[in-house]
């Protein structure tokens, strides 16, 4: 039996504590907040998108950074095992559109309760309001010694698992402590950027559309004339630009390939119709209301808030009779509906980012155990590592899989 200390009581930390305790070790978890799972509590708008029910192989297609590093972790504790774990722990689950898995109750607190109950049953000691100041190594710097708390207490350990999260949503306690511990113990860090984050847009009409949510739209994000992301789903206009699930996923590509630079975002407002079908639809609308004005003839095509913007962008006078609209004008309007252009100027900061891209370099970590290649007995799990994925439960899957592997990696 080894004395294992877990630093951080989020998704990866709690799962690591459970796995280590199941391995017969004496486990103590330190959390600087007053309660466990503070970020977990707000994920999925408080519903907690636990994982994704897709085929396990598909998970890797949704992992953006270092998917190959996660082979051992994911196949050792995959999405179906995660679902079985929570079901058995008394948290029934349901699967929604896009394979997203949620607790049946729609309460993230039930996910946290299931983890707490499991830790209680395994006699994991949980220390709340206990911040860790330093991770200590032995004199040679090559093996773990223990931790030093902010109150000056030294706690010896045979193994320390760092699962402190990133620097997104600082209010939940994600203040980058794990990066400090990693640097102090000789590990390399990759650049940290906000990801799964709203995008800022140059066009001022976004402000007029603030609060408008569009469902079933498609987007293509281009940088230097090359498509770097395409997707379909739901988006939202804000006072600074665009947000919503589809945009958050697009931001992952933006942050990776065009961070801090201008990019082009093309919205397809009618993705179910190709340009020819859309033109036929416009012809029908124009035929049916041949004596109507342009603004009245097209009002049924868009949400009320969007119509004046589309009219202005079309360059066609709103009062023009539809029977006077030329074929060229009609085709150009169809093109606008299929390719509404927005200029991305950047993204919002860490306070609005769901996750942090970048972190402890995976080159310094053994992918079979999550143990450091530099310090024996020191493990890293979850968002503190340079691992991130798209929306849909994939980032939490990284936390569960890497946390579980770190806990079982202690032998």
């Amino acid at each position: 039996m080894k004395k294992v200390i877990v630093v951080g009581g989020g998704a990866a930390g709690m799962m690591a504590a459970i796995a280590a305790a199941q391995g017969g070790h004496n486990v103590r978890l330190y959390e600087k907040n007053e309660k466990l799972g503070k970020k977990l509590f707000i994920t999925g708008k408080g519903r907690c998108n636990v994982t994704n029910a897709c085929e396990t192989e598909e998970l890797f297609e949704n992992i953006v950074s270092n998917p190959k590093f996660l082979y051992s972790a994911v196949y050792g504790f995959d999405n179906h095992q995660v679902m079985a774990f929570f079901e058995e722990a008394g948290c029934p689950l349901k699967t929604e559109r896009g394979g997203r898995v949620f607790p049946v109750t729609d309460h993230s607190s039930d996910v946290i309760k299931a983890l707490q109950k499991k830790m209680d049953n395994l006699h994991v000691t949980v220390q709340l309001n206990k911040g860790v100041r330093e991770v200590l190594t032995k004199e040679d710097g090559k093996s773990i010694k223990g931790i030093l708390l902010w109150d000056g207490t030294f706690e010896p350990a045979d193994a320390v698992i760092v699962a402190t999260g990133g620097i997104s949503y600082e209010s939940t306690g994600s203040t980058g402590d794990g990066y400090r511990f990693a640097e102090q113990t000789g590990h390399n860090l990759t650049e940290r950027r906000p990801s799964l984050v709203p995008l800022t847009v140059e066009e001022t009409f976004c402000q007029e559309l603030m609060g408008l949510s569009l469902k079933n739209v498609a987007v293509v994000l281009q940088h230097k004339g090359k498509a770097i992301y395409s997707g379909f789903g739901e988006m939202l206009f804000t006072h600074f630009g665009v947000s919503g699930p589809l945009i958050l996923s697009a931001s992952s590509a933006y942050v990776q390939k065009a961070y801090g630079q201008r990019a082009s975002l093309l919205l397809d407002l009618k993705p179910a119709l190709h340009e020819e079908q859309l033109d036929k639809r416009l012809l029908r609308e124009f035929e049916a209301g041949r004596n109507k004005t342009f603004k009245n003839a097209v009002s049924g095509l868009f949400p009320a808030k969007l119509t004046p913007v589309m009219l202005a962008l079309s360059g066609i006078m709103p009062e023009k009779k539809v029977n006077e609209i030329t074929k060229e004008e009609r085709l150009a309007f169809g093109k606008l509906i299929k390719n509404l252009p927005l200029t991305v100027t950047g993204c919002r900061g860490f306070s609005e980012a769901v996750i942090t891209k970048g972190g402890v370099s995976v080159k310094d970590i053994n992918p079979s155990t999550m143990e450091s290649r530099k310090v024996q007995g020191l493990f890293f799990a979850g968002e503190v590592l340079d691992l991130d994925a798209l929306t849909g439960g994939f980032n939490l899957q990284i936390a569960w899989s890497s946390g579980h592997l770190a806990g079982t990696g202690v032998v």
Side-chain angles (χ1 to χ4, degrees):
M1 184 194 279
K2 286 189 172 176
K3 184 176 177 187
V4 179
I5 286 176
V6 179
V7 186
M14 287 190 277
M15 191 57 81
I18 289 164
Q22 282 172 332
H25 301 299
N26 173 9
V27 183
R28 190 169 282 231
L29 183 150
Y30 287 88
E31 169 53 58
K32 69 179 179 183
N33 285 317
E34 73 290 350
K35 60 184 175 186
L36 295 167
K38 238 179 164 181
K39 189 173 175 187
L40 203 50
F41 185 71
I42 59 169
T43 60
K45 295 179 182 165
R47 295 173 64 215
C48 190
N49 185 181
V50 178
T51 185
N52 195 287
C54 64
E55 290 301 314
T56 303
E57 290 73 27
E58 269 181 61
L59 289 174
F60 298 103
E61 293 166 23
N62 288 277
I63 294 168
V64 177
S65 302
N66 304 307
K68 285 181 181 168
F69 173 82
L70 281 164
Y71 281 2
S72 293
V74 170
Y75 284 118
F77 192 55
D78 67 22
N79 46 344
H80 303 292
Q81 287 167 288
V82 166
M83 289 159 73
F85 169 88
F86 281 104
E87 293 273 358
E88 285 161 22
C91 178
L93 304 171
K94 60 179 175 179
T95 303
E96 295 186 2
R97 191 168 50 87
R100 288 168 160 84
V101 177
F102 294 91
V104 166
T105 58
D106 283 331
H107 294 311
S108 55
S109 53
D110 290 328
V111 173
I112 299 164
K113 277 177 201 155
L115 292 160
Q116 283 176 307
K117 190 176 160 193
K118 197 85 178 160
M119 287 194 293
D120 286 346
N121 293 343
L122 290 162
H123 309 294
V124 173
T125 304
V126 175
Q127 299 275 341
L128 299 174
N129 295 304
K130 292 273 185 182
V132 175
R133 186 165 78 189
E134 228 176 307
V135 169
L136 303 170
T137 57
K138 291 179 180 165
E139 280 170 31
D140 63 0
K142 290 182 180 170
S143 58
I144 203 73
K145 186 179 177 185
I147 59 166
L148 185 67
L149 299 176
W150 279 105
D151 65 11
T153 309
F154 166 66
E155 287 287 349
D158 300 304
V160 171
I161 301 172
V162 174
T164 49
I167 39 177
S168 52
Y169 286 131
E170 196 179 319
S171 58
T172 63
S174 302
T175 51
D177 295 349
Y179 304 140
R180 196 176 77 248
F181 303 149
E183 278 186 315
Q184 286 167 351
T185 49
H187 297 80
N188 295 298
L189 297 176
T190 61
E191 186 189 349
R192 275 85 68 211
R193 295 172 176 178
S195 193
L196 300 187
V197 64
L199 296 173
T200 55
V201 166
E202 188 172 77
E203 284 74 13
T204 52
F205 65 72
C206 285
Q207 292 167 15
E208 296 167 44
L209 298 173
M210 186 172 83
L212 174 65
S213 175
L214 297 178
K215 287 182 172 142
N216 305 322
V217 291
V219 300
V220 176
L221 181 66
Q222 295 177 335
H223 179 55
K224 295 180 177 172
K226 226 171 100 180
I228 57 172
Y229 175 85
S230 61
F232 173 85
E234 188 178 338
M235 64 166 286
L236 172 76
F237 288 97
T238 68
H239 65 286
F240 55 77
V242 283
S243 187
L246 179 58
I247 300 300
L248 297 188
S249 286
S251 78
S252 191
Y254 173 79
V255 168
Q256 189 173 36
K257 295 173 181 168
Y259 189 61
Q261 298 172 55
R262 290 164 80 83
S264 167
L265 187 71
L266 299 171
L267 306 187
D268 183 348
L269 300 172
K270 301 287 178 189
L273 305 173
H274 55 67
E275 279 194 27
E276 225 172 273
Q277 290 172 314
L278 179 60
D279 190 47
K280 282 179 183 166
R281 164 101 190 260
L282 287 175
L283 269 171
R284 282 200 308 273
E285 297 281 346
F286 288 6
E287 282 296 324
R290 39 184 309 108
N291 295 316
K292 281 186 179 178
T293 58
F294 176 54
K295 69 174 182 186
N296 289 332
V298 299
S299 62
L301 289 171
F302 317 106
K305 224 174 187 178
L306 185 56
T307 303
V309 170
M310 294 302 289
L311 291 173
L313 292 173
S314 75
I316 302 169
M317 295 303 292
E319 303 302 330
K320 191 172 187 174
K321 291 278 193 283
V322 289
N323 58 16
E324 295 168 14
I325 289 172
T326 66
K327 183 184 177 182
E328 287 71 27
E329 285 175 323
R330 190 187 73 240
L331 288 172
F333 187 57
K335 274 196 167 59
L336 176 69
I337 294 169
K338 294 291 286 177
N339 295 282
L340 175 60
L342 294 171
T343 310
V344 176
T345 54
C347 63
R348 302 291 275 183
F350 282 108
S351 61
E352 292 175 55
V354 175
I355 54 157
T356 305
K357 178 184 278 296
V360 179
S361 172
V362 296
K363 290 175 185 168
D364 291 347
I365 309 298
N366 181 344
S368 304
T369 58
M370 293 291 147
E371 186 173 17
S372 162
R373 294 188 190 275
K374 300 194 170 207
V375 180
Q376 194 184 346
L378 178 59
F379 297 74
F380 291 89
E383 200 184 332
V384 71
L385 289 161
D386 181 11
L387 300 167
D388 64 279
L390 299 179
T391 57
F394 302 106
N395 285 289
L396 268 180
Q397 182 62 46
I398 291 174
W400 308 131
S401 291
S402 62
H404 186 268
L405 184 55
T408 55
V410 180
V411 288

